[in-house]
Amino acid sequence: IGVVALPFRSVGRDQQFLLPPSMADWLAGDHVVWFLIAVVEGLDMSKFQGRAKLGGAGREPIDPRLLLLVLIYGYCLGERSSRQLERQCRENVAFRVITANEAPDHTTISRFRKDNETAFASLFEQVLELCAAAGLGQLGVVALDGTKIAANASKDSNTSASRLREE
């Protein structure tokens, strides 16, 4: 009796979904993206809202929370290039969750970063306050002493422990 191999499963890339997939199923519940989304939702973004164009033609502007999340998550991954962030928004599942399956172009990301430098300072203060409230750090006074003392620190004047014992 001969052994018959089973046929391979077909690859159905053209298969339509019966129901639309849920982005909540794309990432594990403990993925850092869900944490970042929750944190950004709690931030006061009013300084970003005032920069949106009023009236005029074209599409609605992209929500600044979405662009901020793209930048923050990109920084978490060490990615700072606007062009690479745009590519990530098309190809990386976590970025697709952040952007709700949209892909802002690199110009939009770059302009957002450039045009909102002062608003980022306000967000940094809010993040520090959130960290303090969560007990993630200590706020206090840091003082540095700028005293300069004349010294001879040449390579020849350095002494090892064994040489000190000899002397």
Side-chain angles (χ1 to χ4, degrees):
I1 296 180
V3 178
V4 179
L6 295 174
F8 293 110
R9 282 187 269 172
S10 64
V11 178
R13 291 188 184 95
D14 296 331
Q15 173 67 39
Q16 298 291 319
F17 290 107
L18 180 61
L19 297 171
S22 168
M23 283 192 286
D25 297 335
W26 289 4
L27 292 175
D30 61 349
H31 196 281
V32 70
V33 165
W34 298 119
F35 172 73
L36 293 175
I37 290 171
V39 168
V40 169
E41 287 299 318
L43 296 176
D44 175 19
M45 300 286 288
S46 59
K47 295 197 190 267
F48 292 91
Q49 303 295 343
R51 298 202 51 90
K53 292 181 181 177
L54 301 175
R59 293 180 67 180
E60 304 89 5
I62 296 176
D63 188 341
R65 292 180 196 280
L66 181 147
L67 293 170
L68 179 64
L69 279 163
V70 167
L71 289 176
I72 291 172
Y73 189 59
Y75 292 164
C76 287
L77 299 179
E79 188 60 68
R80 288 166 175 71
S81 164
S82 299
R83 291 180 189 273
Q84 292 303 316
L85 289 173
E86 175 187 5
R87 185 178 60 77
Q88 292 282 9
C89 289
R90 282 187 269 109
E91 298 174 359
N92 185 311
V93 173
F95 278 95
R96 290 178 68 181
V97 168
I98 288 171
T99 62
N101 218 15
E102 295 285 328
D105 71 8
H106 63 275
T107 306
T108 303
I109 296 168
S110 179
R111 283 186 186 145
F112 176 75
R113 184 178 4 217
K114 181 182 69 121
D115 293 344
N116 293 293
E117 286 182 33
T118 56
F120 289 134
S122 167
L123 285 182
F124 185 66
E125 292 170 10
Q126 291 180 54
V127 169
L128 287 178
E129 290 170 1
L130 283 172
C131 289
L136 296 176
Q138 251 182 329
L139 298 180
V141 176
V142 176
L144 299 175
D145 183 6
T147 303
K148 296 184 188 250
I149 299 171
N152 183 359
S154 71
K155 203 172 194 181
D156 297 332
S157 68
N158 289 334
T159 307
S160 66
S162 62
R163 185 163 176 209
L164 283 174
R165 282 190 210 106
E166 287 175 17
E167 290 181 11

